[in-house]
Amino acid sequence: MSVVKINAITIPEGMGPQLEGRFAGRAKMVEAFDGFEDFQLLRPTPGQESGEDRYFVYTRWATEAHFQAWMDSQDFAKGHGTGHAEGNANADGEQARKPVAQGAELMSFDVVEHVIKST
């Protein structure tokens, strides 16, 4: 059964629109990666009692091995701006961007049950 990875991202106050914009403009390489099943960017709901202010990046993968292959891939490095120093161009001539996140926590889950509304 599938595995879910949730990356809980802490960002400075007011930086939500910038984070959302980066995800909206991302290279979309993950969607074509072998074993990828689903992606969701979740924005915290303002004024909720939970007090949660982190964004959650939800991805679902066919197996743990598929996720690890993505993490080890050049596509992952390119999509996350890793592999080159701030202010320097990467191998494709793109400029590095300063990270929006102040911190992140990766959580892992095995999917025990998955229900999709049938139409």
Side-chain angles (χ1 to χ4, degrees):
M1 190 134 237
S2 301
V3 296
V4 167
K5 302 296 181 174
I6 299 175
N7 194 9
I9 301 175
T10 303
I11 60 170
E13 188 172 339
M15 295 296 287
Q18 185 174 352
L19 178 72
E20 292 174 25
R22 286 196 183 177
F23 273 96
R26 72 193 197 291
K28 310 240 186 263
M29 290 174 275
V30 70
E31 286 91 337
F33 208 82
D34 187 40
F36 171 81
E37 296 180 350
D38 194 14
F39 167 87
Q40 295 177 31
L41 176 62
L42 307 174
R43 177 192 312 129
T45 306
Q48 296 297 307
E49 292 179 17
S50 70
E52 185 61 64
D53 59 357
R54 296 177 295 175
Y55 275 76
F56 287 79
V57 179
Y58 167 100
T59 56
R60 191 176 70 238
W61 297 86
T63 67
E64 179 68 26
H66 285 105
F67 172 73
Q68 289 302 322
W70 163 247
M71 292 287 290
D72 294 339
S73 74
Q74 290 180 349
D75 287 343
F76 175 86
K78 182 177 178 182
H80 289 79
T82 58
H84 54 281
E86 178 69 31
N88 294 331
N90 66 14
D92 295 327
E94 298 169 341
Q95 290 298 313
R97 295 181 297 179
K98 184 176 179 181
V100 175
Q102 291 179 318
E105 174 188 0
L106 182 63
M107 298 176 272
S108 300
F109 302 88
D110 291 324
V111 176
V112 177
E113 187 173 348
H114 182 211
V115 177
I116 298 175
K117 181 179 178 178
S118 60
T119 54

